[in-house]
Each structure stands twice: as C-alpha cells, then as structure tokens.
Amino acid sequence: MTPAVATAPRVVHALPGRVRIHLPAWSGAGRRQLETRVREVAGVRRVTANPLTGTVLVLYDAATVDAPRVASAIRSFRPSP
C-alpha cells in the first residue's frame, strides 16, 4: 500500500443525511477550522470532528447535498498555522 492511499481520507460509514469520514493523517490541528469549513457547505446541519479517533461526523440535508460533496470539502481542508 502506498503512503498516499494509507493517509487519504475515507468514508467509514454513510447513510442519507449522515456520513463519517476517517482522516488517518490528521493530527487534530485546526479542529474548529475544519468544523467551520464543512459547515459552510450548503445543506450541512452539524459537524463534529474528533481528534482522538481522527474522524469527522457530518449530518446534512440529503435533498441539498450528498456525501461525496461533504467528503470533498473535508479532503480540501488545510489547517492554517
């Protein structure tokens, strides 16, 4: 397995309106920034980032946004120093 694959965010579980994404390379830095960034996506209702487990739980309106769009917002996140 290549390092890029081992550290890439991946969907752990998804249901319409709910997705949990694992961020194996995330140190927990910028937790609030990450939550704020994902909340900016139209249709996202609640975001909970957990630095202990390295996961982000997102509740969203499935009629407005889908899990791939939410995952894209998380993948594009880069914490500011």
Side-chain angles (χ1 to χ4, degrees), residues 2-77:
T2 64
V5 172
T7 61
R10 68 180 177 86
V11 174
V12 176
H13 191 263
L15 295 169
R18 182 182 191 277
V19 65
R20 183 179 306 273
I21 298 175
H22 183 237
L23 307 168
W26 182 45
S27 68
R31 175 184 176 191
R32 298 285 183 219
Q33 293 172 344
L34 173 58
E35 292 173 340
T36 299
R37 166 68 183 104
V38 178
R39 272 191 215 101
E40 292 172 351
V41 176
V44 170
R45 294 182 174 157
R46 191 169 121 199
V47 180
T48 306
N50 185 332
L52 295 176
T53 62
T55 61
V56 181
L57 175 64
V58 182
L59 303 179
Y60 61 92
D61 178 3
T64 305
V65 68
D66 58 9
R69 172 66 183 101
V70 172
S72 176
I74 292 171
R75 285 186 190 102
S76 68
F77 172 75

